[in-house]
């Protein structure tokens, strides 16, 4: 079947440290374990209260205000910029103690070379889906609430058009060797989308709007099936 153009890449984000502030990119390598440098670090709760060991912003909202910083364009950060403006080494005792005081329990920064993902290594959302949920929630549209890797500005289509991509393959750019992902499932959202990425405040209306409009789903998850370079402005083709 002839592939269908479903849009173009509007924005690319990677999150060097799970739940911390994302980094907008113009282009990046899409590897077998997601975007280069994406979610390779995470804070492990040393007093694990369940089967999920990582400290995320769903528990400590202000994590989204911490900014990872690298050197010389490296994908992995060397320091973390705190909300108060301090710079701390990623693996230093000072950062761990700083976050422990806010979380109330000890944490340790961990590095996993293949990344720390909840469901899949790539998340995609359209601008129209993000806009519709924020509109219904009475919030300014901010796609960063949804912490996507790839934001697609769709060809004319209704919000939540991504739901129809499940089971298909998306390719980015032109040619037979264009990077590709297989769309595995819809993205079932949690309280993370309630968190304002600029101040860490919560607006419960956002998740309620997603639940009301689309059974709490917004965007899709995908697995990488061909590596390559993705860039803002590339066409996005859906193959069936």
């Amino acid at each position: 079947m002839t592939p269908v153009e479903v849009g173009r890449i509007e924005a690319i984000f990677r999150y060097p440290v799970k739940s911390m502030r994302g980094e907008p990119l113009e282009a990046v390598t899409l590897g077998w374990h997601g975007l280069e440098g994406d979610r390779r670090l995470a804070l492990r709760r040393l007093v694990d209260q369940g089967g999920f060991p990582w400290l995320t912003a769903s528990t400590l909202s202000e994590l989204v205000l911490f900014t990872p910083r690298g050197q010389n364009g490296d994908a992995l950060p060397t320091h973390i910029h705190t909300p108060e403006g301090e710079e701390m080494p990623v693996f230093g005792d000072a950062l761990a103690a700083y976050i422990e005081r806010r979380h109330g329990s000890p944490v340790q920064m961990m590095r996993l070379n293949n990344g720390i993902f909840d469901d899949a290594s790539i998340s995609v959302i359209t601008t129209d889906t993000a806009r519709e949920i924020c509109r219904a929630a009475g919030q300014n549209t901010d796609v960063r609430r949804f912490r996507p890797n790839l934001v697609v500005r769709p060809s004319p289509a209704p919000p939540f058009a991504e739901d129809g991509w499940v089971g298909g393959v998306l390719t980015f750019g032109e040619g037979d060797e264009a990077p590709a992902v297989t769309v595995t499932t819809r993205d079932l959202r949690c309280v993370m989308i309630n968190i304002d990425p600029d101040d860490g405040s919560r607006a419960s209306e956002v998740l309620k709007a997603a639940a009301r409009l689309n059974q709490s789903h917004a965007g899709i998850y995908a697995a990488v099936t061909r590596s390559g370079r993705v860039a803002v402005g590339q066409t996005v083709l859906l193959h069936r």
Side-chain angles (χ1 to χ4, degrees):
M1 184 179 294
T2 302
V4 176
E5 182 175 328
V6 293
R8 289 182 177 270
I9 297 179
E10 172 85 359
I12 301 170
F13 295 95
R14 72 174 166 206
Y15 309 87
V17 181
K18 189 175 179 66
S19 269
M20 290 189 183
R21 181 162 283 157
E23 176 185 11
L25 302 169
E26 287 297 311
V28 67
T29 298
L30 176 67
W32 297 115
H33 301 288
L35 301 186
E36 179 186 18
D38 187 47
R39 295 175 172 94
R40 297 317 195 243
L41 304 176
L43 289 163
R44 183 171 70 91
R45 297 178 295 155
L46 296 182
V47 182
D48 185 9
Q49 300 298 317
F52 188 79
W54 312 113
L55 177 64
T56 69
S58 61
T59 299
L60 185 65
S61 298
E62 66 187 90
L63 276 183
V64 300
L65 307 181
F66 288 72
T67 305
R69 297 194 188 280
Q71 295 180 340
N72 303 318
D74 289 344
L76 292 179
T78 57
H79 290 74
I80 302 296
H81 186 80
T82 73
E84 288 75 27
E86 297 181 67
E87 291 276 353
M88 298 182 179
V90 168
F91 292 102
D93 293 337
L95 178 64
Y98 184 98
I99 293 175
E100 178 181 345
R101 288 195 296 272
R102 285 151 179 78
H103 175 48
S105 186
V107 296
Q108 179 185 28
M109 187 70 79
M110 302 290 293
R111 175 177 174 178
L112 280 78
N113 290 336
N114 293 339
I116 302 113
F117 305 102
D118 293 345
D119 289 279
S121 60
I122 292 294
S123 60
V124 184
I125 196 169
T126 65
T127 53
D128 289 3
T129 293
R131 183 182 302 112
E132 178 63 11
I133 292 173
C134 291
R135 181 204 62 78
Q139 302 291 317
N140 292 330
T141 300
D142 192 335
V143 73
R144 295 176 301 159
R145 283 185 178 273
F146 302 90
R147 298 183 70 82
N149 292 124
L150 303 177
V151 180
V152 174
R153 180 169 294 279
S155 304
F160 310 108
E162 311 94 299
D163 291 0
W165 302 348
V166 174
V169 172
L170 298 177
T171 57
F172 309 105
E174 307 295 336
D176 294 338
E177 298 304 313
V181 299
T182 295
V183 183
T184 55
T185 186
R186 296 193 294 166
D187 190 341
L188 180 63
R189 295 298 180 160
C190 67
V191 296
M192 283 288 296
I193 67 173
N194 289 336
I195 301 171
D196 188 304
D198 287 327
D199 62 19
S201 63
R202 296 195 182 219
S204 62
E205 296 82 5
V206 181
L207 184 57
K208 290 177 182 177
R212 185 169 65 251
L213 294 171
N214 201 39
Q215 300 84 47
S216 299
H217 294 92
I220 51 88
Y221 280 122
V224 179
T225 48
R226 188 162 57 237
S227 60
R229 193 78 168 166
V230 292
V232 171
Q234 283 177 330
T235 57
V236 182
L237 299 178
L238 175 64
H239 304 250
R240 290 292 188 184

